[in-house]
Structure formats: structure tokens, C-alpha cells
Amino acid sequence: MGETKLVHSPLITYGSMLSLLSFTPPFVILMWYTNVHADGSILKTFNHLRENGLQGLINIWPKPTAIAGKLIICYALFEAALQLLLPGKRVEGPISPTGHKPVYKANGMAAYAVTLITYISLWWFGIFNPAIVYDHLGEILSTLIFGSLVFCVLLYIKGHVAPSSTDSGSSGNIIVDFYWGMELYPRIGKDFDIKVFTNCRFGMMSWAVLAVTYCIKQHEEYGSVSDSMLVNTILMLVYVTKFFWWEAGYWNTMDIAHDRAGFYICWGCLVWVPCIYTSPGMYLVKQPVHLGLQLAIYILVAGLLCIYINYDCDRQRQEFRRTNGKSTVWGKAPSKIVASYTTTSGEKKTSLLLTSGWWGLARHFHYVPEILAAFFWTVPALFNHFIPYFYVVFLTILLFDRAKRDDDRCKAKYGKYWKLYCEKVPYRIIPGIY
Ligand code: NDP
């Protein structure tokens, strides 16, 4: 892996890296504070900061505590043990630019089921009250912020001194190396894949665990769970279940196969996902909304449909690639482009690009149902406050940026074949618009 090519201008690239490095940690704390202590009102938080300045931020920033550390360590060790010990099929990841093929054990669905059953059982039998997690959430996030930064520094050092595979290297710039990472597939020993742990078993798993936590906390607080909370939790859990059902497919996506293990992916999955991705549920705990059965069902069905379409887009592409273009797409033989490319080691290879079905509507149509699904698990909060909608806005920006990054990468990889795909499928995300 040689020099990192900049997609945007250096000013935008370094500016956005440095601002994300410095602003995301306080943002996580402000998100938690607004939802838990400021009635979900950005204005209240803003006024607090305006009156007290930087000291105001320091005052609300919870210190990492022993109990927060214990909760995180127990959870992380439990997930690491499940990752290592649960049985699963041997799965090969995509071949990397240096010709390396990572091998995984596909036991994500089992780990997900064991985690939720254990967590809910601990509560049910009175062994551990998940409301404790909500009550210490600020300290937990604060501990995660600092702990994950240390973790990213260790990843950076490991990338320099003990890379796990040939898919590693320095860009020559310390900020780029720390931010984007150095290793594509860092491992501890032969089997413990660090990105599977950070992205899937810690980050995505925490989304489900916290969704359940918020429900239980609301039940403890009000004696019942509101219909808005139920719709939010069901949709988020269905989404996370879909993720683990398809986890081996996720190992073929940009996050794993192209983005290296650095602050962007690892800190993002260890801190940003537990806080920001779960934030609509975090908001609803203390701001319950009564939707009524009919509205609740409409929102639930719309959300389920979006999650299904998003799943079907990913499934269609992966079936098409797995069967070497022989799967049916919407009942017909797929239309395709046979694209050849050269690996960094100079080998000539071919890939198939699907140009019908969902992938014929737009080159990244799958982002539309992804964004709409997030909207539908947020809209139970109705429109009293903006804060629960932050995730939808963030996701939209993230995915529009990701579509551009992916298009640029594919253009560099496939050259004239990608141009042909763009002529056949001219829209990037929204058919007829963009
Ligand atoms: P993918 O990596 O799954 O898809 C893009 C890749 O697929 C390209 O890099 C290219 O890789 C290949 N490809 C592109 N066009 C075609 C085509 N026409 N036919 C066949 N292969 C093609 O995308 P993402 O990782 O972005 O998304 C995966 C899932 O994760 C989606 O459901 C998405 O919505 C979700 N997601 C969720 C996020 C969140 O934060 N909630 C963030 C990002 C994604 P190759 O080099 O193999 O050709």
C-alpha cells in the first residue's frame, strides 16, 4: 500500500481529518448530555455552553470511572470470547490489492443471539440491571473516548512494528496514518481479527445492547414502554439482526476490504456507533411519545420495508458475484459488464458489474433505503426536537461522501469499464436526481 491518493483537495482532506479528530469526542459528550440531561433540547445545551464557555463543557464531561471501565471490559472480553470460541463456517474475504485473502469464522449471528439472550436473561433473573448502563452512560462514553484513542495509537504502533499481513504500509504522513490507519487486516495471533471485533462485535453489537437498555430504562422510569420506543427499538433490532445475518457479506464491503484500521473506522465503531447510532433511542428514554396503534404500525411497516430493500440490494449484488453472474435478478438473467483490472502486483483480473435490478437504478441506490430506514426509526420521536434526527443527517452526509469515495476508487480500478457503467447507469444515488 503506497502513497494515499487524496480524493478531495489537501486543505479539505487535512482540515476535515483534524476537525473530526478534535470535534467528535466533545460532540459525543454533548449528544449524551442533551439527550439525558437537557430534555433533548439543543438550545438548552447551547445556552449552557454560551453562559459557561469551555468550562461549561469541562463541567458536564463525566470522568472515566472504575464502574464504567468494568462494564466496558466485561462486555469487550465477553464479545472477544464469543468471537474466538463460537463455531462458524470458514469464510474467505475478497482478494486484496496485494493478493492476500483473509479467512474468517462466520459466527456473528450466534454471537448476536448469545449476547442478547445473556443480557436479557441477566435482567430477567435479577442478576444485572441494564438500567445501570444508562445511568452510567456518560462515564462509559467518556471512558470509551479515551480508551479507544489509546487503542488507535496501539494500532498505529502495531502497523509500524508488527503488521499482520502484506496489506499494510505508511502513507508517509503521521496524521493520515493515524486517521486512516496502516493495516487493512490487523490481527492478534492468526485468528483474532481486530476489525471484526471493533466494527461488528463491539460497535454493531453495542447498538442492539443499548437499544434494549433504553427500553428497559424507560420501563423502570415510567412503569411501561411507550409505543414510540417500541417502534424505534424493533426497527433498530431488525436492522442489527439483518447486519449479523449478513455479516460475512459485510466483510466484502469498503469498511473491511478497503478502509484500513485507524481512527476513522475503529474509533468510529468503538465510540461513535454506540453513542450516535443509538441516539434516537437515547432521546426517547426521557422524552416518550404516544403515537397510537395505527401510526405506530404505519411507521413500523415502512421501516421494515426499507430495511428489507436495503438487505435485498446487498443480497442481489453478492448473489450475482457469488454465482459469477448466473443468479436471476428480478426474475430475469442479469445484465452486466465484464470489467478487467490490474492489481498492484501487476496481475490481470476480471470482476462483474451488475447493471440491472437495484444496481441498474443508480450506482449506490442501496443508500436510499438505508437512509429512509433510519428516518423511520427516528420519526416515532415526532418533531419536538431536532437532536434525534442528527443520525439521519449524519448518515446522509456519510453515505453521499462514501458514494463519491467508492466511485473514485472504482473509476481508478476499472477505468473504461467503470465509465461504461456510468453511461449505462448515470445516477449515483437517487434515480433521476443525483
Ligand atoms: P459495498 O462495498 O457493499 O458496495 C460497493 C462495492 O461493490 C464497490 O466498491 C465495488 O467493489 C462493488 N460494486 C460497485 N458497483 C457494483 C455493481 N454494479 N455490481 C457489482 N459490484 C459492484 O457498499 P457499502 O459498503 O457502502 O455498503 C454495504 C452496506 O452497508 C449497505 O447496506 C449500506 O447501506 C450499509 N452501510 C451502512 C452504513 C452506516 O453507517 N449505517 C455505512 C456504510 C454502509 P469491487 O471492488 O468489489 O468491484
Side-chain angles (χ1 to χ4, degrees):
M1 249 181 251
E3 282 285 303
T4 303
K5 275 217 186 91
L6 301 181
V7 173
H8 304 289
S9 74
L11 184 70
I12 295 185
T13 305
Y14 290 109
S16 56
M17 278 193 294
L18 287 172
S19 38
L20 281 174
L21 280 165
S22 26
F23 293 127
T24 45
F27 192 89
V28 162
I29 295 301
L30 291 175
M31 172 62 86
W32 159 79
Y33 177 81
T34 307
N35 281 315
V36 175
H37 294 297
D39 309 323
S41 162
I42 295 178
L43 194 65
K44 266 196 185 173
T45 302
F46 178 76
N47 283 338
H48 170 79
L49 291 180
R50 205 182 40 159
E51 281 159 26
N52 303 288
L54 188 61
Q55 192 56 43
L57 177 62
I58 296 168
N59 291 347
I60 61 173
W61 197 307
K63 287 194 182 54
T65 55
I67 178 153
K70 270 190 217 155
L71 288 169
I72 295 167
I73 288 170
C74 286
Y75 168 67
L77 288 179
F78 185 68
E79 291 308 324
L82 296 184
Q83 183 176 333
L84 273 175
L85 301 177
L86 285 177
K89 243 178 45 195
R90 181 184 181 278
V91 174
E92 287 183 354
I95 190 152
S96 75
T98 65
H100 166 81
K101 216 178 221 186
V103 175
Y104 302 99
K105 187 158 70 166
N107 58 8
M109 198 60 201
Y112 177 63
V114 171
T115 301
L116 284 192
I117 291 169
T118 307
Y119 196 55
I120 292 170
S121 303
L122 289 176
W123 169 62
W124 191 257
F125 294 110
I127 301 165
F128 175 76
N129 183 3
I132 291 172
V133 174
Y134 178 88
D135 296 336
H136 293 271
L137 195 56
E139 298 148 49
I140 291 174
L141 291 170
S142 176
T143 311
L144 276 178
I145 287 172
F146 295 114
S148 306
L149 268 177
V150 173
F151 183 81
C152 292
V153 172
L154 294 177
L155 275 181
Y156 171 79
I157 296 170
K158 178 179 174 323
H160 269 295
V161 300
S164 301
S165 77
T166 46
D167 297 302
S168 177
S170 168
S171 66
N173 180 308
I174 183 171
I175 302 172
V176 174
D177 285 351
F178 180 76
Y179 185 86
W180 285 116
M182 299 188 55
E183 289 193 77
L184 189 57
Y185 297 115
R187 291 203 165 183
I188 297 174
K190 198 165 106 0
D191 293 326
F192 191 76
D193 190 283
I194 293 180
K195 265 164 72 186
V196 169
F197 176 73
T198 55
N199 297 23
C200 308
R201 308 309 172 77
F202 194 101
M204 290 302 288
M205 199 71 82
S206 74
W207 192 348
V209 168
L210 286 172
V212 171
T213 303
Y214 299 149
C215 247
I216 291 173
K217 178 64 193 180
Q218 195 183 63
H219 188 268
E220 187 183 275
E221 194 96 346
Y222 299 98
S224 65
V225 180
S226 63
D227 50 10
S228 51
M229 182 61 115
L230 277 178
V231 173
N232 169 266
T233 311
I234 292 171
L235 285 177
M236 295 207 297
L237 285 182
V238 170
Y239 180 88
V240 182
T241 309
K242 178 216 81 162
F243 174 85
F244 281 107
W245 179 257
W246 163 88
E247 191 194 41
Y250 172 70
W251 297 335
N252 291 304
T253 70
M254 273 177 81
D255 284 6
I256 300 288
H258 305 297
D259 287 339
R260 289 176 267 170
F263 178 87
Y264 177 77
I265 276 288
C266 294
W267 194 91
C269 289
L270 294 171
V271 188
W272 193 253
V273 170
C275 178
I276 306 299
Y277 284 42
T278 71
S279 59
M282 197 195 292
Y283 168 88
L284 281 170
V285 174
K286 289 199 171 167
Q287 284 73 228
V289 172
H290 177 67
L291 296 173
L293 188 63
Q294 206 176 20
L295 184 57
I297 288 177
Y298 282 150
I299 298 174
L300 185 66
V301 171
L304 290 174
L305 191 68
C306 290
I307 297 173
Y308 172 75
I309 294 174
N310 173 255
Y311 163 78
D312 201 48
C313 295
D314 290 330
R315 186 201 59 78
Q316 207 171 62
R317 180 177 81 80
Q318 273 158 19
E319 272 304 289
F320 166 78
R321 281 268 174 101
R322 195 182 59 79
T323 58
N324 213 3
K326 292 194 179 64
S327 57
T328 52
V329 169
W330 291 352
K332 285 195 226 140
S335 86
K336 58 179 179 268
I337 293 171
V338 182
S340 53
Y341 65 96
T342 314
T343 63
T344 47
S345 56
E347 250 185 293
K348 277 238 174 307
K349 294 207 174 277
T350 52
S351 261
L352 295 181
L353 295 173
L354 176 61
T355 59
S356 60
W358 300 114
W359 296 81
L361 296 181
R363 299 193 297 280
H364 302 274
F365 177 76
H366 58 321
Y367 293 157
V368 174
E370 171 89 33
I371 294 166
L372 285 177
F375 173 78
F376 285 119
W377 68 61
T378 305
V379 81
L382 298 182
F383 300 102
N384 297 327
H385 291 289
F386 169 76
I387 199 86
Y389 291 88
F390 175 79
Y391 172 66
V392 186
V393 174
F394 156 77
L395 184 70
T396 307
I397 297 169
L398 175 89
L399 293 182
F400 274 66
D401 175 65
R402 192 179 173 94
K404 167 149 177 44
R405 287 202 298 129
D406 194 49
D407 268 12
D408 288 346
R409 199 188 61 78
C410 290
K411 195 157 94 193
K413 179 174 175 184
Y414 297 119
K416 63 178 182 199
Y417 300 103
W418 190 257
K419 214 172 141 227
L420 193 65
Y421 181 32
C422 294
E423 278 161 18
K424 271 191 139 181
V425 183
Y427 293 102
R428 190 177 268 168
I429 298 178
I430 310 170
I433 298 178
Y434 174 77

